[in-house]
Amino acid sequence: MALDGRRSASHARPVSGSAPSWAGRRIGIGAALGRVSLALSVAFGGLALGAGYWQVIESSNLSSSGDDAAVIAAARNVRRGEIFDRDGVRLAWNKRDENGEPYRAYASDSLAPVIGYASRQFGTAGLENAWNAQLSGVVSADPLRELTRKFRADPSDPEDITTTLVLRLQDAAVEALGRNRGAVVMLDPRTGEVLALASNPTFDASGIANPATAEATFDRLRADDRQPLLPRATQGRYVPGSIFKIVTATAALGSGAVSPDTTYADQPGSEKKGWLIDGFRVKDGHHLQTGSHALDFAEAVEVSCNIWFAETGVRTGGAALADYAARMGFGEPLVFDLPTAVSQVTNGEGDDPGGFGDRVELANAAYGQGQTLVTPLQMALVAATVANRGVLMRPHLVREAKGKAGTTTINPEIQERVVPAGIASEIAAAMERAVNGDLGRIFTAGAAVRNLDVAGKSGTAELDPGTRPHSWFIGFAPYDNPQVAIAVLVENSGGASVKASPIAGQMLRAWRSWANG
């Protein structure tokens, strides 16, 4: 204690084991309650925002998800809505087993890779899975009914689905493929409505849906090395060969890298030994038809000149090629009713623009080789883009869903304006020449249809040595008023004109018969 009776300043500092200097200060009760209230408000606000997001914004998506508990329960116990083709033909309906419980039956095995199945033992696949919530009645087209669902004695409202498919065309596609593995896609380029989405071999979806035969049917399918459970049209990835030249043409003309009049002076002389780029020779086999003439764009499409497109791909550049391909859906899963594999121009691991490893890879990709992989649906969309004057419509499989509460209609929707109409018209004219020109018909034999002007492009996808190439065709008709686009793939069947082109011609005749009633 100091002589004046005040504490020494040295005793004001805390020593080891004493309380901190702020311990003696008192916080008013009002301030303390305010802080607690603020903390609680922030906490409850966060909970409210989270609950609001999941229960309001995402509630519809969650309640219609195929793996939602309510959807799964309803799928097992509720009599599902029926599925029809666009002409009203019934594709899927319900039967009763010996216990009176419902199970699914299907009109044709050709539908299996697209409609899928609904099975008690094996769940759902295909359109039965994608539209499971609507078919089982877990969601409603009426918002008020949706809000009051839990208070209803019968909360389910199974909806009937009308698809864009034509059963006649679906059956015809599988019949045309015969014993070959492959796929056929047909769609309306004006609307994006898919008319046929066939994969072969197909399988017995009714056998999977029937509880009495499900186990045996599924075991047999899993053991089949032909992979019948693979939906080739949407999830099979294949080297495209020369049909990819239409993608290259879109990028080259769209970016201004070339014009329809572009020629390459070294192209005729390179036909015999190949065009040399960075130590690699791009081979072609058309010099006997074209001689010493330097080909322009339309001529190069007609005779499917690898060298012209390899040079064009390098001139266009990897960045532009990848960009224009992405506009048509490459590089990510397609926005579609069913899951789709990703089509790629390259695997994207290279350091060059667009993800290419070097100019050799780019040159090979430009005519559909290298690391380029596509699905048949993706290539049907490429043809549809050209047919629809450069506008890609979003593909879809359902026209409407109808239940007690009302009808939901799926309207056509523009996905992307890929190139101007004038450029699309130049490509379309070259594709018409590839089917009907004096030289073009050699490479697309069988695709031409009497009294129907067909435009298209064939492709022979070269694979590993000793493996037969894939056969491809993409196209559309009628040329001057396109109403249908098509892609045909036949696995390991040889050259394009051996299998794919004749199947395309056969399917376009079937389409004309259906369209004319």
Side-chain angles (χ1 to χ4, degrees), residues 151-484:
F151 305 108
R152 295 177 178 272
D154 180 17
S156 65
D157 180 15
E159 298 180 8
D160 291 338
I161 300 295
T162 298
T163 70
T164 62
L165 297 169
V166 179
L167 180 58
R168 285 170 55 184
L169 296 179
Q170 190 78 10
D171 284 341
V174 171
E175 181 179 355
L177 287 167
R179 298 180 62 84
N180 298 291
R181 291 177 295 181
V184 174
V185 180
M186 302 184 82
L187 54 86
D188 188 332
R190 303 165 297 180
T191 64
E193 294 182 339
V194 176
L195 307 176
L197 192 71
S199 298
N200 205 51
T202 184
F203 61 91
D204 180 12
S206 295
I208 296 177
N210 187 337
T213 59
E215 295 283 353
T217 302
F218 210 79
D219 287 346
R220 186 167 57 252
L221 291 171
R222 283 186 293 196
D224 192 333
D225 59 8
R226 299 177 305 159
Q227 297 181 286
L229 292 172
L230 172 66
R232 287 168 162 80
T234 53
Q235 294 192 41
R237 299 207 309 166
Y238 303 91
V239 177
S242 290
I243 60 169
F244 190 81
K245 291 171 181 174
I246 303 305
V247 179
T248 303
T250 302
L253 294 172
S255 66
V258 304
S259 75
D261 298 324
T262 295
T263 60
Y264 298 100
D266 60 346
Q267 171 257 314
S270 300
E271 293 284 353
K272 292 184 179 180
K273 293 184 179 180
W275 179 60
L276 183 64
I277 176 172
D278 299 344
F280 179 87
R281 288 191 181 275
V282 175
K283 298 295 183 63
D284 204 7
H286 307 134
H287 58 274
L288 296 179
Q289 286 84 11
T290 59
S292 60
H293 174 65
L295 304 174
D296 63 17
F297 167 66
E299 293 168 332
V301 173
E302 181 179 4
V303 300
S304 196
C305 180
N306 289 348
I307 292 173
W308 194 94
F309 277 95
E311 294 204 53
T312 294
V314 173
R315 176 180 289 190
T316 302
L321 182 57
D323 173 61
Y324 276 85
R327 298 184 190 189
M328 290 184 280
F330 282 75
E332 59 184 21
L334 296 171
V335 179
F336 191 53
D337 300 77
L338 306 179
T340 62
V342 176
S343 296
Q344 66 178 46
V345 181
T346 176
N347 64 16
E349 296 178 355
D351 295 328
D352 282 9
F356 288 91
D358 51 33
R359 295 200 311 162
V360 172
E361 185 197 345
L362 175 58
N364 280 286
Y367 59 94
Q369 295 292 151
Q371 297 177 20
T372 307
L373 296 171
V374 301
T375 67
L377 175 59
Q378 175 63 78
M379 294 313 297
L381 295 179
V382 170
T385 300
V386 176
N388 200 38
R389 299 179 64 81
V391 177
L392 173 61
M393 303 300 291
R394 191 178 303 283
H396 60 281
L397 277 170
V398 173
R399 302 189 82 185
E400 67 175 29
K402 186 175 183 179
K404 292 178 289 186
T407 300
T408 301
T409 302
I410 311 300
N411 295 313
E413 180 181 353
I414 293 176
Q415 177 170 316
E416 186 81 32
R417 297 184 181 274
V418 179
V419 289
I423 290 175
S425 295
E426 292 283 357
I427 300 172
M431 292 175 70
E432 195 273 343
R433 184 168 172 170
V435 174
N436 301 289
D438 291 340
L439 295 178
R441 66 184 62 182
I442 298 173
F443 305 102
T444 59
V449 176
R450 184 185 297 273
N451 298 323
L452 180 66
D453 199 356
V454 177
K457 182 73 189 77
S458 61
T460 301
E462 300 294 340
L463 306 175
D464 294 334
T467 303
R468 287 171 60 82
H470 298 322
S471 176
W472 280 97
F473 181 89
I474 62 171
F476 57 88
Y479 164 65
D480 57 353
N481 180 28
Q483 299 170 45
V484 63

Side-chain angles (χ1 to χ4, degrees), residues 71-78 80 101-102 119-123 136:
V71 174
I72 295 172
R76 293 178 63 88
N77 300 304
V78 172
R80 297 169 70 82
E101 296 179 335
S119 166
R120 293 180 207 162
Q121 291 95 321
F122 300 106
S136 57

Side-chain angles (χ1 to χ4, degrees), residues 75 80-84 89-95 102-120 122-130 132 135 161 163 165 167 170-171 202-211 213-214 217:
R80 297 169 70 82
E82 296 186 340
I83 302 177
F84 299 87
V89 178
R90 192 167 61 164
L91 306 182
W93 60 93
N94 304 288
K95 290 185 175 182
Y103 69 92
R104 220 53 166 157
Y106 301 95
S108 171
D109 287 357
S110 72
L111 297 164
V114 53
I115 299 297
Y117 53 79
S119 166
R120 293 180 207 162
F122 300 106
T124 56
L127 208 61
E128 289 273 30
N129 176 263
N132 197 12
L135 290 164
I161 300 295
T163 70
L165 297 169
L167 180 58
Q170 190 78 10
D171 284 341
T202 184
F203 61 91
D204 180 12
S206 295
I208 296 177
N210 187 337
T213 59
T217 302

